[in-house]
Amino acid sequence: MWDKPQLLMWFANLLTALALLLLFYALLFLTVHSPLFPIKRIKVDGDLVHVTREQLQYVIKHELKGTFFTLDLDKTRVAFEKLPWVRQVTVRRHWPDRVEVNIEEHKAMARWGSVGLLNSYGERFDAASNDQLPILEGPDGTEKIMIDGFVELHKTLLPLGKKATHVWLSARRAWRFELDHQLTIEVGRDEPVARTARFVTAYPYSLGRLKQPFEYVDLRYPNGFAVRLPDFKPAAAKPENAKDAALAH
């Protein structure tokens, strides 16, 4: 080997390259972990209504660890997403010392029974709210179906100026809803939007003219609907002539 200068030159070049590579790695390691590159600014963007400044400061103080280069972006994102009203977070670095956090909040549209809230995507989340929200109840896994159905129901009821305050979906996918905390309406499985639309069209000319209260309407009829009148008492039939009147006594 020692009498082969070309091989010795190749081996020397290899050792030099390895030394330079190790030196470069060491310099890179020191640069990445150097305190000379701290994160000096953290910018939080988003239309924030429920997430508080105190919550954000807590996450920044306790979860954001490392320098500009070593900060774990995924871990930082997860830390912010643990906050109750946070739906989605994106985290980006901006050279030389800034991190930008963009937060999307949940927009609560309804309560899911008594165990949580539903956002506009039909996603369930746990958070506290004092807002007067409609209540949706159905089998687990139907949250998206119910929020979409509720949106359609809301649009259909707009001409009446009334709102669905409680909506149920049975295991057989039959719909029922409560109108303004007063009237229960049975819709059924088939064509729930079309049935409700027919009810809305007929209401001003039928039920809207009734003087006595009613508490239940059944729309599960092909050409009409049934109404339950709790105080209704059928009038006695009038006799057709005097003889019938006498017999009646």
Side-chain angles (χ1 to χ4, degrees):
M1 174 178 178
W2 302 111
D3 58 352
K4 297 179 179 180
Q6 291 184 345
L7 183 58
L8 289 173
M9 182 65 68
W10 177 86
F11 187 69
N13 290 338
L14 177 61
L15 291 177
T16 302
L18 288 175
L20 291 174
L21 183 62
L22 290 173
L23 178 61
F24 174 77
Y25 176 80
L27 292 175
L28 181 62
F29 182 86
L30 291 174
T31 301
V32 167
H33 292 81
S34 172
L36 297 176
F37 297 94
I39 297 172
K40 295 181 180 179
R41 291 182 296 166
I42 300 174
K43 182 181 179 182
V44 179
D45 285 330
D47 186 12
L48 304 181
V49 177
H50 298 91
V51 177
T52 66
R53 179 184 297 272
E54 290 74 20
Q55 289 175 322
L56 296 175
Q57 289 177 341
Y58 181 87
V59 173
I60 291 171
K61 180 179 179 180
H62 294 86
E63 300 293 340
L64 271 66
K65 306 294 184 181
T67 67
F68 178 83
F69 295 105
T70 61
L71 178 69
D72 190 326
L73 297 186
D74 286 336
K75 186 177 179 181
T76 301
R77 173 183 56 79
V78 171
F80 279 105
E81 288 180 349
K82 288 179 180 179
L83 296 176
W85 281 92
V86 174
R87 177 179 180 266
Q88 195 172 55
V89 176
T90 56
V91 184
R92 294 184 178 91
R93 294 186 181 91
H94 290 273
W95 178 260
D97 56 9
R98 182 163 60 94
V99 171
E100 184 176 299
V101 180
N102 189 276
I103 296 178
E104 178 190 352
E105 276 195 357
H106 290 287
K107 294 181 180 178
M109 290 192 63
R111 299 186 186 278
W112 183 249
S114 60
V115 297
L117 301 173
L118 290 181
N119 65 17
S120 54
Y121 298 94
E123 299 166 341
R124 191 193 307 188
F125 66 100
D126 295 321
S129 174
N130 294 323
D131 295 339
Q132 295 296 320
L133 298 171
I135 300 173
L136 308 186
E137 293 188 63
D140 288 339
T142 61
E143 292 89 345
K144 183 66 167 62
I145 295 173
M146 292 204 69
I147 209 71
D148 290 344
F150 173 77
V151 171
E152 289 296 322
L153 179 62
H154 177 76
K155 294 178 182 178
T156 306
L157 293 172
L158 281 177
L160 284 184
K162 298 180 181 295
K163 296 181 179 180
T165 51
H166 203 143
V167 182
W168 294 268
L169 182 64
S170 73
R172 297 180 63 253
R173 300 300 190 267
W175 293 85
R176 176 166 51 100
F177 66 90
E178 181 186 66
L179 204 59
D180 288 345
H181 300 287
Q182 298 174 342
L183 176 63
T184 300
I185 300 180
E186 198 77 52
V187 182
R189 297 178 58 186
D190 302 325
E191 300 181 331
V193 175
R195 287 179 176 179
T196 305
R198 287 195 295 268
F199 167 76
V200 170
T201 301
Y203 183 90
Y205 310 102
S206 55
L207 300 181
R209 295 183 176 181
L210 288 179
K211 301 299 183 182
Q212 60 187 123
F214 51 93
E215 59 184 20
Y216 179 85
V217 176
D218 192 340
L219 306 184
R220 296 173 296 177
Y221 293 86
N223 299 311
F225 49 82
V227 184
R228 179 186 299 164
L229 304 174
D231 299 327
F232 176 74
K233 295 180 181 179
K238 296 182 179 179
E240 294 182 2
N241 51 51
K243 182 179 180 181
D244 292 337
L247 290 174
H249 289 290

